[in-house]
Structure formats: structure tokens, C-alpha cells
């Protein structure tokens, strides 16, 4: 699992951000996109996933800095980790289904289940992205600018 090697680190921001990028690349792979088109998936599902992951990855450094002092940020990060595990497991299941399918066509029931689970993951990521402002999480550049302004005010 990709996440196990990165999540235990003291600095979560950069590692989880990289993990999300790899995860999105896997979700947006040609094989999965072709599969989703065959299933007549919700057209904007990949775009929704990308937008949510983009918002989340931009604030991870700030969340990492606040995780010890803010229990709500810590819970937010725990939920993100849980969703990331689910997404990784789902993608592994897809590869297994694809490999085990003798006709190179994944059974309809499995197809519907995969798309349903992917939509759930997308919804959960959107929910986490919506919480960014409520938690006071800021994009790294904004945090650095605030720190620079604070330093100037000290002198």
C-alpha cells in the first residue's frame, strides 16, 4: 500500500499530497476512464475527484502543522487517511476484477459496485474539501505570507 509508507512520517503534508497525486493518476488512468465510459458514469465524477483532491492537497502542509494543537484538524486528517485507504483498496479491487475477468469485460454487478463506491469516495472528499475553511486551513503560500507579515510586525 502506498499510504502505509508515507502516512507514518512526522511531515504529512508533502507525503500525503504526493500520495493524492498518485491516487488521482490511478483513478484517471486510461483503463479506468474507458471502463467508466462503458458504465455510462456520471460525466463529471473524475473532475469532482480532481477538484476535491486539489483543494485538500494545497492545505495539507497547514493541516500537518495544526494537527497536534487542533483536535478537529486531527479528525479531518484521520478521515482523509480513511478515505485514501478506501480509494486505494477500491483501485486494487478494480485491477483484480479486471485481471480475473476471462472475457476482458468486468461483470455488470461489479461495474455498478465500483462506480457506486467511487462516487461515495468522491462525495466524502468533497465533504472534506468543504470543511477546509471551517477548520481555518490555508494554502501554503497564504501561510508563508502571514508568517512573513507577522515577522515584519515584530521588528
Amino acid at each position: 500500500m502506498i499510504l502505509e509508507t508515507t502516512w507514518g512520517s512526522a511531515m504529512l503534508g508533502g507525503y500525503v499530497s504526493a500520495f493524492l497525486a498518485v491516487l488521482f493518476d490511478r483513478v484517471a488512468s486510461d483503463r479506468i476512464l474507458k471502463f467508466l465510459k462503458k458504465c455510462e458514469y456520471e460525466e463529471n465524477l473524475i473532475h469532482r475527484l480532481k477538484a476535491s483532491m486539489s483543494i485538500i492537497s494545497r492545505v495539507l502542509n497547514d493541516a500537518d502543522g495544526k494537527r497536534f494543537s487542533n483536535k478537529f484538524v486531527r479528525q479531518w486528517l484521520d478521515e482523509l487517511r480513511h478515505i485514501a485507504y478506501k480509494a486505494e483498496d477500491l483501485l486494487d479491487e478494480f485491477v483484480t476484477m479486471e485481471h480475473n475477468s476471462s472475457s476482458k469485460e468486468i461483470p455488470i454487478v461489479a461495474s455498478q459496485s465500483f462506480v457506486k463506491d467511487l462516487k461515495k469516495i468522491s462525495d466524502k472528499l468533497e465533504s472534506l474539501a468543504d470543511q477546509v475553511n471551517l477548520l481555518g486551513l490555508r494554502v501554503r503560500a497564504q501561510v508563508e505570507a502571514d508568517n512573513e507579515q507577522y515577522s515584519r510586525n515584530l521588528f
Side-chain angles (χ1 to χ4, degrees):
M1 290 181 117
I2 297 168
L3 195 57
E4 285 180 3
T5 59
T6 59
W7 200 262
S9 172
M11 284 296 292
L12 294 175
Y15 293 112
V16 177
S17 183
F19 171 75
L20 287 175
V22 169
L23 189 63
F24 180 75
D25 287 345
R26 284 186 69 195
V27 170
S29 72
D30 287 339
R31 289 183 357 219
I32 291 180
L33 290 176
K34 286 178 187 175
F35 168 76
L36 291 173
K37 285 181 182 179
K38 285 182 188 176
C39 297
E40 298 177 10
Y41 75 101
E42 186 178 326
E43 286 293 323
N44 67 353
L45 180 59
I46 298 298
H47 298 293
R48 288 175 40 217
L49 279 165
K50 184 176 182 177
S52 298
M53 289 175 150
S54 174
I55 291 167
I56 290 168
S57 66
R58 290 184 304 172
V59 299
L60 278 174
N61 285 330
D62 191 35
D64 185 42
K66 294 178 178 177
R67 70 186 164 125
F68 293 112
S69 61
N70 186 325
K71 74 175 185 175
F72 299 110
V73 170
R74 194 168 39 255
Q75 290 169 345
W76 184 86
L77 285 167
D78 286 343
E79 181 64 20
L80 177 60
R81 179 179 56 177
H82 179 72
I83 293 167
Y85 277 132
K86 286 211 174 281
E88 188 174 29
D89 289 346
L90 181 63
L91 293 172
D92 289 344
E93 286 175 26
F94 175 81
V95 170
T96 301
M97 283 189 304
E98 190 178 55
H99 180 71
N100 290 339
S101 178
S102 59
S103 67
K104 296 295 179 192
E105 290 290 323
I106 296 173
I108 291 174
V109 173
S111 301
Q112 292 170 340
S113 176
F114 176 81
V115 173
K116 180 180 153 190
D117 290 344
L118 191 58
K119 285 180 181 179
K120 284 181 185 177
I121 287 168
S122 178
D123 291 344
K124 288 178 180 181
L125 284 171
E126 282 180 342
S127 175
L128 288 178
D130 290 344
Q131 295 172 29
V132 164
N133 289 331
L134 292 171
L135 292 170
L137 298 175
R138 297 173 293 171
V139 176
R140 179 202 269 173
Q142 183 181 1
V143 171
E144 289 171 359
D146 289 349
N147 288 343
E148 186 177 315
Q149 181 65 33
Y150 177 75
S151 295
R152 280 190 224 147
N153 290 341
L154 287 177
F155 301 106

